[in-house]
Each structure stands twice: as structure tokens, then as C-alpha cells.
Amino acid sequence: MFQLPDQQCDLSRPDVNGTWICEKAEKLPCDTVSKCRWDSDKTWANVLALVSPEEKKLFQKPYLEEEIEADPNEPIRVLEAKLPKPQHLPECTWNKSSALGHWSGKIWKSSVCNVRVFDKGDIRRCLANKTVYMQGDSTIRQWSQRLQKLVPLHYDNKTMDLTAIKGGDNIQWNISVRYRFHHFPVQVGAWNIFNDSRYIADELDSTHGGPNTVIVLSLWAHYTAEPLDMIRSRLYAIRGAIHRLKQRSPSTRVLVRTGTTREHMKGKLQFYLLGSDWLAYQIAEVIREVFRADPDVFLMDTWDMSVCQPGKDNVHPDQIMVDNQLSILFSHVCPN
């Protein structure tokens, strides 16, 4: 439903290309607003009202999610491919994407560089004395939660920090993993307090960086219902903040990842209109557009990994996918 300007509260931050407009409360001024939430029911109703009956038919079988019939007796020709063996691949450098490759069982085999398999001891030694900032949506929080089980990490509710402590000798590994959710948009129904949210560009500008600092960014899952220009402009502001960080601390390592395929929620129409794989893929294309040729950023293209993953499509992939994504990260942080 269209709202007049005096019915809205513009909470945008032009300096970080952050656009966010909320519905104004009837009897309160905008400067008293401290939290807002995404009303999924109202959003879905508004979007469904824009779709004609003819258009709705396009989101039903046989046009959607119809399995391709195949003759089981038809022979399949498999051509031999001379793939380089891992020991002949170069080490993973920070300026070379390793997502190009294939799955071999439950292991992702990069065709670009030697992605190693890390056990718990390898992970501790790799991350010793390092600080890893994971910022973005819950799909990157999933990485920090997995690390919490592998290292293990101890969570501080006040600072949202995870720290790792070495075994019986009580000597610290001095590992810190810090997770922070990105600013609006947030596609969850809970109330979000503004003071608890910070734009990633602001976070990058306040980060000192250095050779023991690794930054991992993931923004996609909550942007699928927004215009592409919103995430494009937000990413350009983040890219500017990354360049400023690299000028201050050239040895800081920054990784930006794309999204993954996801579940389709039993074919509900509103899901296809607001959160489908097609929308997520468009965001992946924008992320590639902004960062692919940027020498200050390592782009991890997790989309291609998920298209043929052994597990089920899910916005939060299974442990196999997460472990292989982490192996790519560790292989670039600790190539040897």
C-alpha cells in the first residue's frame, strides 16, 4: 500500500548507502522510533495482490519444479577429464578464487588451488593468534557456530565474541571469532532495536586490521525481497570501506562470499516472489560484479558449490557444505 511521506519515517544513512524507511506510528514522532520489524503477513498480502491470476499459473506445475523425464535405458557417456591432482595444484593465494571445481563424494575439489582438509588441530594452529570477524546474515553465523564445535570456542553474550582456549595446560590459543548481523533489511518478524545494529561499512571503518585479522562478509539472504539497487549501493559503500581499511592495514585479509541455493517451502507462491533461488542468484551476480576484479577482496563463490551439492538445498546448508566452505577459508588463511 502506497504511503505519503508524512506517513513514513526515513531512517536512512546516505553516507553508507543505507536506505531504510518504516511506517510512522500514529501519535509518535520519527525521532522516538527505536525499533522496527518486518511484517511478513502484510508484505506477502501486498505482493500477492500485485500478481494476476494468469501470472500465478506460471508458478505452478508443469512450469515449476517439474522433474525431467529420462529414459533409464538411455546410455550415459562419461568422457575422461584430465583433472590436476591436488598435489600438483598451487597453494591457495588470497587473490585467487578456489570455488571453481567439483564434488568428489563429500569433499569439494578445487580445480584452481590445493584446498586442504583441516582437522581440529589444524584449525587451531591455523587460527592461533588471529581475530576473525564474521559479518552479515545467519548463513555466516552458521560458520561461527560450526567453529564453536570444532575449536571449541566459548561464547560471550555481552560482546558476541568467541574465544578459543588450548587444552589441559591452560595456555590460550588466542583465537577470537566475532560475529555481527548486518543492518536492515531483516526478514524476520522479531523486533529489531536500532542500537543493536551497525552497518558493515561502519564496522570496517572502526577495525584496525593487520596480518592476523581476517574479515568474512556475507550479505544476500535478507535482500531477496529488496530491489537489486539497494544491495548494489550497499556493497559499493562496503567496498569503499574495505579500500580504506586496506590503505590503513594492507595485510588485512577480506573475504566476501556469495549465497547458496535454498529450500522452496513447499511451493508457496510468496516464497518464489520474495526469496527464490532466482532472486538469490541475481544477488550473487551483483556481488560478482562489485568484487570479482577487486584486488583487495577474495571472492568465494559458494553459489556454484551449492548448485550440485550432495546435500539438500537449504538457506542454512548441512554440515558437509559448511565444512567444505570453511576448508576453503582455512586454505587461504593457511595455504601451507
Side-chain angles (χ1 to χ4, degrees), residues 128-148:
N129 301 313
K130 292 182 176 62
T131 299
V132 183
Y133 295 93
M134 294 188 176
Q135 300 174 17
D137 52 43
S138 59
T139 65
I140 202 68
R141 181 181 61 200
Q142 198 177 4
W143 285 19
S144 65
Q145 291 171 334
R146 180 60 179 152
L147 276 176
Q148 191 173 8

Side-chain angles (χ1 to χ4, degrees), residues 264-323:
H264 289 81
M265 296 182 66
K266 299 180 180 179
K268 291 183 179 180
L269 176 58
Q270 59 263 36
F271 175 81
Y272 292 108
L273 298 175
L274 297 173
S276 69
D277 281 354
W278 170 247
L279 297 172
Y281 181 75
Q282 300 306 303
I283 292 174
E285 287 280 80
V286 171
I287 294 172
R288 294 171 186 140
E289 167 196 322
V290 175
F291 291 109
R292 177 178 280 157
D294 194 323
D296 289 338
V297 174
F298 169 69
L299 177 63
M300 183 190 290
D301 205 331
T302 49
W303 182 270
D304 287 348
M305 294 177 67
S306 70
V307 169
C308 55
Q309 63 181 306
K312 294 182 179 180
D313 294 326
N314 197 295
V315 67
H316 298 117
D318 61 19
Q319 183 177 313
I320 293 172
M321 171 67 93
V322 173
D323 285 351

Side-chain angles (χ1 to χ4, degrees), residues 8-58:
Q8 301 173 345
C9 288
D10 190 346
L11 306 173
S12 303
R13 278 274 309 280
D15 56 321
V16 293
N17 293 346
T19 302
W20 192 249
I21 297 173
C22 282
E23 182 179 353
K24 186 180 181 297
E26 289 184 7
K27 298 180 180 180
L28 294 174
C30 288
D31 57 9
T32 63
V33 176
S34 61
K35 59 185 178 180
C36 70
R37 70 183 180 92
W38 184 62
D39 190 329
S40 59
D41 291 338
K42 184 180 291 186
T43 300
W44 289 340
N46 289 340
V47 171
L48 289 175
L50 299 174
V51 184
S52 69
E54 290 75 18
E55 290 172 327
K56 289 180 181 179
K57 293 178 182 178
L58 298 175

